[in-house]
Amino acid sequence: MVFDFFQNENCQEVNDFYNKLFNEIPDLIFEFVIAPDNTYLFPLVSRSANNFFELSATHFLDSDKTLIYERIIEADRAPFFESLLQAKRNLTSWEFEFRVQLPQKGLRWLKIAAKPELYPDGSIAFYGRISDCTTLKDNENRLKVSEERFKFALEASTAGVWDWNVATDEVFYSAQSMKILNEDVADVFDSPKRWDKIVHPDDLNRYFSDIQDHFDDRTPFYENHHRVLTSQGKYKWILDRGKVIERDLYGKPLRVIGTHTDISSQKEKELELEQAIDLVRKQNSRLLNFSHIVSHNLNTQAGNIKSILDLIDTDAEESTIQEMLPYLRTVSNDLNETIRNLVQLVSIQNNHNIPVSALNLKKYIVKTLDLIHSSQSQISFRIHNLVPEHVEVDFNPAYLESVLLNFTTNAIKYADPKRPLEITYQFEIDNNQKVLSITDNGLGINLMKYGESLFGLYKTFHQHADARGLGLYITKNQIESMKGTVSVLSEEGVGSTFKIHFFC
């Protein structure tokens, strides 16, 4: 029968109270009894039955009970019945979620929860309730789908996820974040200091600054490129992004979520592009230098030749011709020298198959000094060759002779007449690179004024009669053609140090 209380003077107030109470309960309240002969009945059923099964209370009578079972979708009927039998057999709580197909509401999820009680006659009664959990199930399913999509997105991408609880100072690192560090582990919870400790020292200031800018709400989100040290002892470039998703009443961040993306290959390509751009820039610089030669030196010399020939044509006297011929010879010689220099530079820059050998550096310095002493015996200078006997560098023999000769003769050419000249050759390993230093106590160069054009073509910085501004330019080209670099430290009145960094 439908759950209700008898109306009499002894229990009228109680009936009124319980009627109001059960009318406010949204769940279906029931008593379900299974007799020893396996017949069953519903002694008590609340009026909310119509909301759950779209059946009136009379349908819970013996003659119509099958309609309830038929409301359960076919796929859930057998599990529903099995759960009931198990609860009856073991006298344990009966809890089960199932679906019903209703004429008006359509598919609904219901959850039954009841406790059994054994009667003296062998009957078993279940007292419980049925609740509608459709909304909860829909939310669970949507959450499950979202989690599956999120999991697939993570697994299919190279991005790792981190979730920082600022209040507890604990960070969740996804397995993909750990994979970036070459650590094959599952998701982990750790301190944010774990990541801070592996950021490259050169990137730390900007790393912390970008985070703080976002925490202070100066940027809409946090983004930073930095290098991290992997478990293999190598650095990787990553793109680190994040956003504060929760703040307290004072605006202080409480939770930050972000991603790690491995961008090492992208950085390598950027480096290759920068190197290519640098190469093009250098080539453009050389083209400008050649343009300077053509527009200035060649045009000037060609103009001088034309002027001399015009003068001869104007005044064909023998004496005038004899007077002009030495000038013509001088201009011609200068023109030939310019062309030879240009040919030499083109040869250096275009020769991509220059032979390279392992050369004993100290022996080549000695050879250079012997050559200088024999050709400039009238010049007095003191040499300090501190290069170890065993040091070898990979270089072209002719180029090494030329480089050493140019730097040494430059030191002699620009010696300070006020003090004896001293030249020192020293060798060191700097950042796994072989470096030769050639130091003199000569006139020195004002690098603030001439530093950018020191190795330029036809650039001179002292009023020396033999200065052409060509030696340092050629020397730099020779070193760079061997994939090396050259740098200089100099001070007027003190001297200069040229450092040759050999390619390893």
Side-chain angles (χ1 to χ4, degrees):
M1 59 180 288
V2 174
F3 183 87
D4 206 349
F5 293 98
F6 294 104
Q7 305 295 320
N8 58 60
E9 59 181 6
N10 295 324
C11 61
Q12 182 61 47
E13 292 183 2
V14 175
N15 276 344
D16 290 343
F17 170 76
Y18 281 109
N19 275 327
K20 291 178 181 179
L21 178 64
F22 279 99
N23 285 336
E24 293 300 320
I25 296 176
D27 294 348
L28 188 158
I29 308 300
F30 68 90
E31 178 189 4
F32 173 59
V33 179
I34 303 177
D37 61 356
N38 287 325
T39 59
Y40 59 92
L41 68 156
F42 291 91
L44 299 173
V45 178
S46 62
R47 287 192 175 90
S48 57
N50 187 55
N51 294 331
F52 285 84
F53 293 97
E54 294 184 3
L55 295 171
S56 66
T58 57
H59 286 96
F60 284 81
L61 300 175
D62 286 349
S63 59
D64 293 329
K65 288 194 293 288
T66 55
L67 289 177
I68 303 169
Y69 190 69
E70 290 173 357
R71 286 281 196 265
I72 302 173
I73 68 169
E74 188 173 354
D76 290 351
R77 289 174 186 172
F80 176 88
F81 191 67
E82 179 60 31
S83 67
L84 172 60
L85 291 180
Q86 186 173 354
K88 173 195 169 192
R89 188 183 306 117
N90 300 323
L91 287 179
T92 55
S93 296
W94 180 25
E95 293 187 1
F96 187 72
E97 293 180 352
F98 60 99
R99 290 162 291 179
V100 294
Q101 185 68 40
L102 304 181
Q104 295 181 14
K105 294 182 179 180
L107 185 68
R108 307 294 294 178
W109 273 95
L110 303 180
K111 181 178 180 179
I112 191 168
K115 289 185 177 181
E117 181 179 337
L118 180 62
Y119 287 169
D121 65 353
S123 299
I124 297 176
F126 285 91
Y127 298 92
R129 61 190 177 87
I130 297 176
S131 56
D132 189 326
C133 59
T134 305
T135 302
L136 178 62
K137 277 292 183 180
D138 288 344
N139 291 338
E140 287 179 355
N141 288 333
R142 280 195 291 268
L143 179 60
K144 182 179 179 182
V145 170
S146 297
E147 288 178 344
E148 289 174 348
R149 289 172 179 167
F150 181 66
K151 182 179 179 182
F152 173 78
L154 284 181
E155 292 175 349
S157 72
T158 59
V161 172
W162 53 269
D163 187 343
W164 182 9
N165 186 330
V166 182
T168 63
D169 203 31
E170 187 179 52
V171 182
F172 163 81
Y173 296 106
S174 72
Q176 184 61 37
S177 281
M178 305 310 295
K179 187 177 180 181
I180 292 174
L181 303 179
N182 296 123
E183 295 186 23
D184 189 13
V185 296
D187 302 341
V188 297
F189 287 87
D190 208 333
S191 164
K193 295 180 179 60
R194 176 193 185 105
W195 204 269
D196 298 347
K197 291 178 180 177
I198 60 175
V199 176
H200 194 285
D202 293 346
D203 301 336
L204 269 175
N205 288 339
R206 184 63 181 271
Y207 167 71
F208 287 125
S209 175
D210 287 345
I211 293 176
Q212 195 59 49
D213 282 347
H214 180 53
F215 278 11
D216 295 340
D217 217 12
R218 287 194 289 267
T219 56
F221 56 89
Y222 156 70
E223 181 174 292
N224 180 266
H225 298 77
H226 58 259
R227 290 160 288 181
V228 291
L229 186 65
T230 69
S231 59
Q232 297 178 350
K234 297 181 180 179
Y235 279 101
K236 279 187 177 180
W237 276 99
I238 70 159
L239 170 60
D240 193 5
R241 283 176 170 162
K243 185 174 180 62
V244 175
I245 62 169
E246 186 179 356
R247 296 179 183 266
D248 63 14
L249 295 177
Y250 304 100
K252 182 180 178 181
L254 295 177
R255 189 179 175 199
V256 193
I257 293 180
T259 60
H260 292 138
T261 306
D262 186 346
I263 57 170
S264 298
S265 59
Q266 176 184 333
K267 278 291 182 180
E268 289 174 2
K269 291 178 181 177
E270 287 180 4
L271 181 59
E272 292 175 0
L273 180 59
E274 288 176 3
Q275 291 173 341
I277 292 173
D278 185 57
L279 177 60
V280 171
R281 189 183 296 113
K282 289 178 180 178
Q283 289 174 339
N284 287 340
S285 177
R286 294 187 185 109
L287 286 173
L288 287 174
N289 280 315
F290 293 148
S291 173
H292 171 77
I293 295 171
V294 173
S295 64
H296 182 267
N297 296 63
L298 296 185
N299 284 343
T300 299
Q301 292 159 353
N304 288 338
I305 293 174
K306 184 178 183 300
S307 297
I308 294 172
L309 293 176
D310 289 344
L311 185 58
I312 292 174
D313 287 341
T314 303
D315 188 353
E317 293 291 332
E318 183 66 24
S319 59
T320 302
I321 295 175
Q322 293 300 321
E323 183 183 351
M324 290 296 104
L325 283 178
Y327 294 110
L328 186 59
R329 174 62 63 186
T330 300
V331 173
S332 176
N333 290 340
D334 288 343
L335 179 58
N336 284 334
E337 182 181 358
T338 298
I339 293 174
R340 282 197 305 271
N341 292 337
L342 182 58
V343 171
Q344 183 180 5
L345 292 176
V346 171
S347 175
I348 293 172
Q349 294 165 5
N350 290 339
N351 193 346
H352 300 292
N353 298 308
I354 306 172
V356 175
S357 305
L359 308 177
N360 185 288
L361 187 56
K362 186 160 189 171
K363 288 183 179 179
Y364 269 78
I365 294 173
V366 172
K367 182 179 179 182
T368 300
L369 295 173
D370 289 341
L371 180 61
I372 291 174
H373 279 299
S374 63
S375 62
Q376 303 188 39
S377 56
Q378 75 280 7
I379 299 176
S380 175
F381 54 90
R382 186 177 179 184
I383 296 296
H384 304 279
N385 188 355
L386 305 181
V387 177
E389 299 280 353
H390 65 278
V391 173
E392 289 187 342
V393 294
D394 294 329
F395 220 79
N396 176 266
Y399 282 7
L400 186 57
E401 289 180 7
S402 175
V403 168
L404 294 173
L405 188 62
N406 263 313
F407 281 131
T408 306
T409 54
N410 263 9
I412 296 171
K413 186 185 299 182
Y414 300 110
D416 191 331
K418 299 177 183 178
R419 57 179 179 267
L421 175 63
E422 292 192 16
I423 306 174
T424 303
Y425 302 85
Q426 289 180 297
F427 177 82
E428 63 179 329
I429 300 293
D430 184 17
N431 290 329
N432 296 321
Q433 196 171 28
K434 296 177 180 180
V435 181
L436 172 65
S437 300
I438 304 174
T439 303
D440 65 66
N441 63 341
L443 295 173
I445 303 167
N446 186 339
L447 294 180
M448 292 293 292
K449 185 176 182 180
Y450 300 114
E452 293 185 0
S453 56
L454 180 61
F455 292 98
L457 187 60
Y458 295 120
K459 302 295 183 181
T460 59
F461 314 100
H462 295 289
Q463 302 303 316
H464 194 284
D466 296 330
R468 293 290 184 268
L470 186 65
L472 286 181
Y473 181 79
I474 292 177
T475 299
K476 182 174 183 290
N477 274 265
Q478 288 172 328
I479 293 171
E480 290 180 348
S481 68
M482 295 286 97
K483 300 182 180 179
T485 59
V486 60
S487 60
V488 61
L489 296 172
S490 189
E491 184 178 347
E492 282 187 303
V494 177
S496 303
T497 297
F498 288 88
K499 288 190 174 185
I500 306 167
H501 300 256
F502 295 95
F503 175 76
C504 295

